[in-house]
Amino acid sequence: MIQRRYSRQRELIYNCLLGTKEHPTAEMVYQWLLPENPNLSRGTVYRNLKLLAEEGLLLRMPFPVERYDACTEQHTHFCCRSCGAVSDLELEYDPELDQRVARSSQLEIQWHDLVFYGTCKECIDKKNSNQEEHSLQKEEG
Amino acid sequence: MIQRRYSRQRELIYNCLLGTKEHPTAEMVYQWLLPENPNLSRGTVYRNLKLLAEEGLLLRMPFPVERYDACTEQHTHFCCRSCGAVSDLELEYDPELDQRVARSSQLEIQWHDLVFYGTCKECIDKKNSNQEEHSLQKEEG
DNA sequence: CTGCATGCAAATAGTTTGCAGTAGC
DNA sequence: GCTACTGCAAACTATTTGCATGCAG
């Protein structure tokens, strides 16, 4: 394995992930850090996120756009189909499932992802108020 | 909603999905159909896969590369971290889970994805035979 | 010093889209 | 004949990579 070396950028990026529950994309991390670090480059953000995930410090989530999570304990996620935001759910992770699947197949199971899809509260509210607007316009027209 | 019209290409693409359990990517579908349909274009494949998924005839799976599945009944998947292949698992889908999460949150849940990650039999075998080669070389050297 | 890490820009992969021509209904 | 659908190519988004330089150990 390659000998890692300290870097201010890597620390910044990792702290950024530790300080949020938003499961950000590489681009989000870049945009958050840019104002205070005008020389930071996208390449560095991508490289370090990938590296931290390989080292097990971050979880990598293959949504249409790659997202990262500093919580390395497995847990379940919710993804809003309307705004794309990803959040954590309280539902406990069941490691027994992995063993069950491994036993009944020829496969070596490392972990599983459980992701719920639907609409988040914000988007439900937004949709409702849009509909109200529309019916108002109809009444006015 | 837009009035759909029959198209030979769309039928080809849909049949292609019905006839496989491989959860192919758009590119795979394109390459399979190309020999018999030299005029087919990637754009058409992408457009129709997206359209069929919107109509509920296909499942769209957001792996690092978008994959599609003609089985619209929810079921669990296995993804090999080594070769990237995606296959079905016997594990039953539990709709009760969706209701449980919906009740304990402010969220509207539509479905959930359960995906197991690990190594498939082929890749385990490949890894083992590679290791044997290496130790052989050591002994020879 | 050594060589890992960075910034930058170019390259790549996957996917979408604009447009002119084709073909269902 | 109307207009959805196609092929083609260009555009776009997300991500990776090559290279010269910077900096940790």
Side-chain angles (χ1 to χ4, degrees):
Chain A
M1 201 178 175
I2 302 157
Q3 175 65 32
R4 295 275 163 244
R5 197 170 282 185
Y6 171 86
S7 100
R8 205 181 67 87
Q9 288 87 334
R10 179 143 64 240
E11 179 158 53
L12 274 172
I13 291 166
Y14 185 46
N15 282 335
C16 191
L17 266 288
L18 286 177
T20 180
K21 291 212 154 208
E22 280 198 49
H23 310 74
T25 63
E27 182 66 22
M28 286 163 80
V29 172
Y30 175 66
Q31 294 298 341
W32 286 342
L33 295 175
L34 196 58
E36 311 255 300
N37 308 272
N39 292 328
L40 184 66
S41 89
R42 269 192 189 75
T44 300
V45 175
Y46 276 97
R47 261 190 292 241
N48 279 303
L49 286 173
K50 198 176 171 182
L51 196 152
L52 289 164
E54 278 164 11
E55 288 182 353
L57 292 171
L58 298 180
L59 237 57
R60 200 178 196 186
M61 303 189 291
F63 286 101
V65 179
E66 220 55 69
R67 285 170 174 272
Y68 293 87
D69 186 347
C71 181
T72 52
E73 278 169 53
Q74 285 290 352
H75 51 275
T76 57
H77 290 112
F78 171 77
C79 175
C80 177
R81 293 183 68 209
S82 180
C83 67
V86 175
S87 54
D88 291 335
L89 289 178
E90 291 298 315
L91 205 72
E92 72 285 4
Y93 180 88
D94 180 3
E96 166 57 18
L97 266 184
D98 296 348
Q99 293 164 33
R100 225 174 106 194
V101 170
R103 272 198 301 271
S104 67
S105 67
Q106 302 261 33
L107 306 165
E108 190 182 296
I109 304 292
Q110 291 163 357
W111 79 85
H112 67 259
D113 279 358
L114 181 50
V115 184
F116 291 80
Y117 290 86
T119 317
C120 71
K121 193 164 183 327
E122 286 73 27
C123 288
I124 296 173
D125 292 349
K126 213 177 292 170
K127 201 165 52 174
N128 288 343
S129 63
N130 278 349
Q131 281 175 357
E132 278 167 35
E133 269 177 46
H134 284 163
S135 55
L136 262 168
Q137 285 171 357
K138 268 189 194 166
E139 283 168 29
E140 283 165 3
Chain B
M1 201 179 174
I2 303 157
Q3 175 65 34
R4 293 276 163 242
R5 197 171 281 184
Y6 170 86
S7 101
R8 206 182 67 87
Q9 288 87 336
R10 179 143 64 239
E11 179 160 52
L12 274 172
I13 292 165
Y14 185 46
N15 282 336
C16 192
L17 266 288
L18 286 177
T20 180
K21 291 212 152 205
E22 280 197 50
H23 311 73
T25 63
E27 183 64 22
M28 288 163 80
V29 172
Y30 175 66
Q31 294 299 342
W32 287 341
L33 295 176
L34 196 57
E36 312 253 300
N37 309 271
N39 291 327
L40 184 66
S41 89
R42 269 194 189 75
T44 300
V45 175
Y46 276 97
R47 261 190 290 241
N48 279 304
L49 285 174
K50 199 176 171 183
L51 195 152
L52 288 163
E54 279 165 11
E55 289 183 351
L57 292 172
L58 299 180
L59 237 59
R60 200 179 196 185
M61 303 188 293
F63 286 100
V65 179
E66 216 63 64
R67 286 171 174 270
Y68 292 87
D69 187 347
C71 182
T72 51
E73 278 168 52
Q74 286 289 352
H75 52 275
T76 58
H77 289 112
F78 171 76
C79 175
C80 176
R81 292 183 69 208
S82 180
C83 68
V86 175
S87 54
D88 291 334
L89 290 178
E90 291 299 315
L91 205 72
E92 70 286 4
Y93 181 87
D94 180 4
E96 165 57 18
L97 266 183
D98 295 348
Q99 294 164 34
R100 224 174 107 195
V101 170
R103 273 197 300 270
S104 67
S105 66
Q106 301 262 34
L107 307 165
E108 189 182 296
I109 305 291
Q110 289 162 357
W111 79 84
H112 67 258
D113 279 357
L114 180 52
V115 184
F116 291 79
Y117 291 86
T119 317
C120 71
K121 194 166 184 322
E122 287 72 27
C123 288
I124 295 173
D125 293 348
K126 212 178 294 171
K127 201 164 54 175
N128 288 344
S129 62
N130 279 349
Q131 280 175 358
E132 278 167 35
E133 268 177 48
H134 284 163
S135 54
L136 262 168
Q137 284 172 359
K138 268 189 191 167
E139 283 169 29
E140 284 165 3

